[in-house]
Amino acid sequence: MSKDYMKRIQALRENYMSHRVEMDILDAYYVTQGFKATEGQPWQIQKAVAMKTVYENKPIFIQDHELLVGGVAFKPRAGILNPDSACSVIEKELDTISTRKYDPFYLSEENKKLFMEEVAPYWRGKCVLDRWNAMMPEDVRTMRDGGMLYVDKKFVRGYGENTPGWRTLLAKGIAGIKKEAEEKLAALDDAHGEDVLKQIIFYKSLIISAEGIIALANRHADLAEKMAEKEADEKRRAELLKIAEVNRNVPANPPRNFYEALQSMLTYEFCIFMEQNASSYNLGRMDQYLIQYYEKDLADGTMTQDEAQELMDCFWIKISEMGLFQDGESAAFSAGYNMTVQVCAGGIDQYGNDAVNDLSYMTIQATQDTALKEPNMTVRYSISKNPDSFLRKAAECIRMGRTMPAVYHDDAGIKMLLNKGIPMSQAWDWTPCGCVETNLEGRLKSYTDIGEISMGGVVDMVMNNGRSRKTGEQISIRTGDPRDFKTFDDFMAAVKKQIDHFVHTMATMNSYLDYLSENYRPVPALSLTYPNCMVVGKDYANGGAEFNVGNGINIIGQADIINSVADIKYLVFDEKKISMDELCRALDADFEGYEHIHKMCMDAPKYGNDDPKADFCVGEIYNYLVDQIEQYDSPFGKLTAGMLPVSGNVPIGQSVGALPSGRKAWTPLADGIGATGGTDINGATALLKSISNLPHARFTQGTQMNLKIDPKLLEGERGLNSMMVLLKTQCTLDIYHTQYNVINPEILMDAQKNPGDHKDLLVRVAGYTAFFVELGKDIQDDIIQRTEIENWG
């Protein structure tokens, strides 16, 4: 039976689903006004004043039934533009943004006019994206234009992929943090050199940002009071007055109760998102941060468990109202308006004990209740410490088709933090971030995903000696005609040389990203809750966090390179069923006229079936790859790696020719770390055993694993227990992450034909969830073709 609070939640959910995705230019307008008003001031001060201008002037609203309030734009489900990052995107897409293939945003004629007259002229040549396009080295441009790498995304959108200091926010409040900055500022003398001057500028930027955030909360309090004066319904009038009381206190001050703690987090989340328009400002371990407020309110009798659940559900819906705007090309790599705001439950505490509490279950319940695509709800599961009842709750939610929670093997996550250089004394507190990355609340700085390397592209370049099959142009290094390779070792040497070049080119791009970010991407609002930034007087963007980690390079197409390498060893060198010349001619022809060779390639042993003839090369390839990545240093540490394709396996595959694996030209690469769709035929356990060969802990930005399971497998008590066993097997095999689509393929195909009947159909794309009907057809097709597991194996 439905709980009474669900009437409000259902009304809020229906309101959310009624909103068209639109583009808000007003945020960009107010940012521009702030910069214009401070010409000649340091960029940090200009950015802080710009955001204060936004907070003090942006349109605000309070919707019917809401208990928690705020928003990043003039309405729910509207995108915003940070003009200092990527103003030229709108100008380039002015006539296509409303109808583009991936993630269209409706832009009104009025807003087009405002943009072209008041925003665009100021930022031409100044925004980060324009600076990058002017500075981009030719080798990077050649590889990018050839489709072997994707490198532009972080120049379009700014810092995200972090877990703000929620404990600091809740303990001190924005006013308390502002007071610290004022005390630090008062102790400094600008006669003591440039380093001190930089600290003075930084502390001033904190103070300005804090004033703006507090002003925004007070504006919502004012609005709630005005609405209460006109409200006839006494119950709603009382709710509005409560909203005013709450926003008058937080986030300026430490929250006094559970309600205020949630509103404080929500307001700050919106403010830091507006500062950069980037994904993955993660909510972290909310069950740990908020449990003290929850338990106190229950003990005091001021709140019931159902009232707490209602507030959490309201919070979930408000997080869902955010939408990430990016250019059309970047959107193809992360389609579905995804924000990937992770909230995580479970895991262990500082003493290594079970950390599951009432709120751990309630976060899963909120995902069950709201059935929306955000927040990106996940669990840290410690097989040795967390109770079966917690795992069962997670499995029940997965079985419902919510696509969440994703499940992380806690020990693997901790090892990834250790490999990032975080001591065990803090690594226990790790948080999943974004899609599948690893993070640490209020202490760690990194771009976790600066761009993509195509592993299918690596093989393509080996087999065509560095030339693009699509254009015929030389886009990578020459590693020799494959027909001249005498041994399998010769082939592998060429593979490694191409990997070296791909990684070197990405590292080159990273140098420019770090330079531009340090100089043109200060984030004073975010820096407020990173305590070490306050201690050292340095912005998050400049390395003020306690731990700074080199940026992450994302790897796409694991199954494509593994199967290609395995097929060449098996078919060409071991069994000698075909010659390298025959294979090369078949690839040149995209297997047309060479159907017998295509069949041999497809029938050869495949990754995902626990077959050593395919899996033998996994460790060698991926340890070599991460060795090369870690050779490159940066101001923030050695570069790092992850395997999280988002939806990028689809567009990046459009530049990759036919492969020895049997994959046809221009088709999607394999998603995540799983098998190529349709080639894993031995069940779920065999698939997990294959992927356990990957060196998960060395890919410290995470390894993402999609599974699509036949709903019939999960029916009844036996099905639920079997799902729990699978999740435990994941941990036993030391696999970092799994996530699940549990849906009948016929429903997906009907949704393609009749999207109006399936507006709220959820699917797991990569490390995030999206509404199926809001994805491009090619990405929908990629999800449909994924292997549906019909036995546990």
Side-chain angles (χ1 to χ4, degrees):
M1 182 179 294
S2 177
K3 299 264 191 174
D4 286 344
Y5 69 80
M6 283 301 297
K7 295 176 183 176
R8 183 193 305 273
I9 302 310
Q10 193 58 37
L12 289 170
R13 187 179 184 278
E14 289 173 1
N15 172 64
Y16 168 88
M17 293 301 303
S18 72
H19 283 280
R20 174 175 62 179
V21 179
E22 298 191 36
M23 192 69 207
D24 182 355
I25 298 298
L26 285 171
D27 275 48
Y29 169 75
Y30 288 123
V31 167
T32 305
Q33 294 303 302
F35 268 87
K36 286 180 177 179
T38 52
E39 283 286 4
Q41 291 290 322
W43 197 273
Q44 277 182 292
I45 298 297
Q46 288 192 278
K47 180 64 176 181
V49 171
M51 293 316 303
K52 185 169 184 279
T53 306
V54 172
Y55 301 148
E56 292 178 342
N57 293 280
K58 72 179 294 292
I60 62 172
F61 56 87
I62 296 175
Q63 301 171 100
D64 291 345
H65 308 290
E66 283 194 319
L67 299 177
L68 299 169
V69 299
V72 301
F74 71 94
K75 65 180 284 293
R77 301 209 75 192
I80 62 171
L81 171 72
N82 264 125
D84 45 320
S85 273
C87 186
S88 55
V89 167
I90 298 286
E91 193 163 7
K92 178 182 176 183
E93 300 187 14
L94 200 66
D95 296 323
T96 59
I97 186 173
S98 299
T99 57
R100 67 191 193 186
K101 182 177 181 180
Y102 301 104
D103 295 4
F105 285 78
Y106 174 74
L107 181 61
S108 69
E109 292 301 318
E110 180 184 6
N111 271 318
K112 287 181 183 179
K113 185 174 184 292
L114 177 67
F115 174 79
M116 291 303 296
E117 292 181 356
E118 300 292 342
V119 181
Y122 182 80
W123 292 105
R124 290 188 188 114
K126 288 184 181 179
C127 70
V128 170
L129 180 61
D130 287 1
R131 294 175 191 272
W132 163 237
N133 282 322
M135 298 171 68
M136 191 188 311
E138 280 308 307
D139 58 338
V140 177
R141 193 182 304 273
T142 297
M143 290 285 280
R144 181 199 69 174
D145 293 350
M148 297 298 103
L149 309 173
Y150 186 62
V151 298
D152 287 349
K153 66 164 72 173
K154 285 299 181 289
F155 299 99
V156 173
R157 63 184 200 238
Y159 283 111
E161 300 159 0
N162 59 64
T163 308
W166 298 114
R167 290 183 176 98
T168 298
L169 174 71
L170 297 173
K172 299 179 178 180
I174 295 295
I177 300 169
K178 174 175 171 281
K179 183 179 179 183
E180 285 185 28
E182 289 169 338
E183 291 170 351
K184 289 280 190 181
L185 180 62
L188 295 176
D189 184 344
D190 53 9
H192 290 162
E194 182 184 355
D195 289 343
V196 173
L197 178 60
K198 288 178 180 179
Q199 290 180 316
I200 289 171
I201 292 167
F202 170 66
Y203 290 127
K204 285 181 177 179
S205 74
L206 291 188
I207 294 165
I208 295 165
S209 296
E211 290 171 349
I213 293 170
I214 293 169
L216 179 60
N218 281 316
R219 290 180 65 209
H220 282 93
D222 293 343
L223 177 59
E225 288 172 352
K226 289 178 182 177
M227 291 174 67
E229 290 175 2
K230 301 175 183 178
E231 180 59 57
D233 182 86
E234 283 301 314
K235 181 181 177 183
R236 183 58 182 161
R237 183 174 182 275
E239 289 174 350
L240 288 165
L241 290 174
K242 181 66 173 178
I243 289 170
E245 176 193 337
V246 168
N247 282 271
R248 202 69 79 189
N249 189 55
V250 296
N253 302 303
R256 298 167 293 192
N257 51 49
F258 186 72
Y259 189 151
E260 289 190 350
L262 285 170
Q263 182 64 65
S264 183
M265 290 183 70
L266 185 65
T267 300
Y268 186 62
E269 174 77 9
F270 289 155
C271 286
I272 56 180
F273 174 76
M274 285 186 275
E275 186 177 49
Q276 287 282 286
N277 179 45
S279 64
S280 311
Y281 288 94
N282 301 285
L283 299 165
R285 307 183 71 190
M286 285 184 70
D287 58 341
Q288 308 304 307
Y289 313 148
L290 299 180
I291 188 63
Q292 61 178 309
Y293 304 99
Y294 169 81
E295 289 179 342
K296 181 179 184 301
D297 289 357
L298 288 187
D300 292 347
T302 56
M303 181 183 70
T304 67
Q305 186 176 37
D306 279 359
E307 287 170 340
Q309 187 68 63
E310 180 180 45
L311 285 168
M312 288 195 74
D313 289 7
C314 289
F315 186 94
W316 257 229
I317 292 170
K318 292 301 292 182
I319 294 297
S320 290
E321 290 179 0
M322 292 192 291
L324 179 67
F325 168 73
Q326 51 195 331
D327 66 289
E329 189 174 0
S330 295
F333 280 77
S334 53
Y337 306 101
N338 82 86
M339 289 295 304
T340 58
V341 176
Q342 283 227 28
V343 57
C344 182
I348 60 172
D349 65 15
Q350 67 195 74
Y351 305 114
N353 298 322
D354 172 33
V356 170
N357 58 43
D358 284 356
L359 291 182
S360 308
Y361 295 90
M362 290 169 67
T363 56
I364 300 175
Q365 187 63 47
T367 297
Q368 291 179 336
D369 288 347
T370 56
L372 294 172
K373 66 187 186 72
E374 297 281 354
N376 193 6
M377 202 273 136
T378 63
V379 298
R380 283 177 50 178
Y381 178 59
S382 172
I383 191 171
S384 62
K385 300 297 174 68
N386 295 153
D388 273 3
S389 58
F390 178 61
L391 189 64
R392 182 184 179 88
K393 181 72 172 177
E396 287 173 345
C397 192
I398 292 168
R399 182 168 68 174
M400 291 174 70
R402 296 293 190 260
T403 75
M404 294 181 269
V407 178
Y408 293 93
H409 169 36
D410 204 31
D411 292 348
I414 291 171
K415 282 190 281 189
M416 288 179 179
L417 261 287
L418 293 172
N419 281 338
K420 282 185 171 182
I422 312 302
M424 188 64 190
S425 60
Q426 299 196 53
W428 64 269
D429 197 31
W430 77 280
T431 61
C433 164
C435 289
V436 295
E437 301 96 296
T438 56
N439 212 263
L440 193 63
E441 176 261 349
R443 283 158 284 174
L444 190 151
K445 181 260 181 191
S446 173
Y447 281 117
T448 62
D449 170 16
I450 60 171
E452 280 71 30
I453 284 178
S454 167
M455 296 304 279
V458 168
V459 178
D460 197 17
M461 292 298 97
V462 170
M463 299 307 295
N464 209 34
N465 202 12
R467 296 184 75 85
S468 167
R469 292 189 188 276
K470 180 162 278 191
T471 67
E473 296 178 0
Q474 192 75 34
I475 58 174
S476 188
I477 60 169
R478 292 178 174 88
T479 45
D481 186 335
R483 296 168 181 84
D484 296 333
F485 297 159
K486 303 302 182 186
T487 65
F488 175 71
D489 287 344
D490 291 342
F491 169 73
M492 283 301 292
V495 168
K496 291 177 180 178
K497 286 178 182 176
Q498 289 291 349
I499 287 174
D500 293 349
H501 181 66
F502 278 53
V503 171
H504 180 271
T505 309
M506 288 295 286
T508 299
M509 178 274 283
N510 181 74
S511 298
Y512 289 81
L513 177 62
D514 280 342
Y515 169 79
L516 289 169
S517 297
E518 284 198 81
N519 284 281
Y520 301 106
R521 277 206 177 131
V523 280
L526 179 64
S527 300
L528 283 165
T529 60
Y530 279 72
N532 201 65
C533 290
M534 184 71 73
V535 172
V536 300
K538 189 183 291 187
D539 193 276
Y540 173 97
N542 300 114
E546 183 176 355
F547 301 106
N548 292 278
V549 174
N551 297 330
I553 297 173
N554 185 19
I555 314 301
I556 297 182
Q558 280 48 270
D560 299 286
I561 191 170
I562 294 165
N563 288 336
S564 293
V565 169
D567 280 11
I568 283 179
K569 186 174 191 298
Y570 177 74
L571 294 172
V572 177
F573 292 104
D574 289 355
E575 299 294 323
K576 296 180 171 50
K577 293 185 176 182
I578 56 176
S579 69
M580 185 67 85
D581 179 63
E582 289 174 312
L583 179 59
C584 287
R585 284 190 277 115
L587 298 179
D588 289 343
D590 197 17
F591 295 108
E592 290 187 17
Y594 296 87
E595 285 74 14
H596 64 295
I597 292 180
H598 184 250
K599 185 177 187 305
M600 281 193 283
C601 290
M602 293 303 297
D603 290 346
K606 289 290 182 282
Y607 171 73
N609 295 291
D610 190 26
D611 187 339
K613 289 182 179 179
D615 298 347
F616 76 94
C617 60
V618 175
E620 180 180 357
I621 292 170
Y622 283 94
N623 278 289
Y624 181 84
L625 173 60
V626 78
D627 282 344
Q628 303 318 300
I629 291 172
E630 290 179 352
Q631 283 186 9
Y632 292 94
D633 211 345
S634 78
F636 307 106
K638 64 185 179 182
L639 299 189
T640 53
M643 302 182 200
L644 47 143
V646 201
S647 59
N649 63 302
V650 175
I652 210 165
Q654 293 167 7
S655 298
V656 178
L659 297 178
S661 62
R663 171 195 162 276
K664 295 288 189 77
W666 330 132
T667 59
L669 300 184
D671 72 278
I673 60 173
T676 297
T679 65
D680 48 325
I681 58 176
N682 290 342
T685 304
L687 175 59
L688 291 183
K689 289 184 74 177
S690 275
I691 68 174
S692 71
N693 289 288
L694 289 162
H696 293 267
R698 294 200 66 193
F699 282 78
T700 59
Q701 301 297 4
T703 54
Q704 176 254 313
M705 180 60 204
N706 291 319
L707 292 97
K708 186 166 73 172
I709 295 184
D710 185 343
K712 292 178 183 177
L713 270 185
L714 298 181
E715 291 177 351
E717 190 67 18
R718 181 176 180 179
L720 195 63
N721 288 335
S722 295
M723 184 70 206
M724 293 171 65
V725 169
L726 183 70
L727 295 172
K728 291 184 178 183
T729 301
Q730 168 193 340
C731 298
T732 302
L733 292 172
D734 208 22
I735 294 168
Y736 171 64
H737 163 274
T738 59
Q739 58 188 19
Y740 300 87
N741 277 314
V742 182
I743 188 168
N744 192 312
E746 284 73 26
I747 294 175
L748 296 177
M749 288 184 278
D750 185 66
Q752 279 190 318
K753 297 175 184 175
N754 304 291
D757 297 337
H758 301 275
K759 288 183 178 180
D760 61 352
L761 176 61
L762 296 172
V763 290
R764 199 71 175 174
V765 181
Y768 66 95
T769 294
F771 293 119
F772 182 75
V773 299
E774 292 183 350
L775 299 170
K777 185 178 183 299
D778 50 358
I779 296 172
Q780 292 177 345
D781 289 342
D782 183 59
I783 292 169
I784 290 171
Q785 67 82 37
R786 293 176 186 171
T787 302
E788 183 175 54
I789 294 171
E790 297 176 338
N791 66 82
W792 297 112

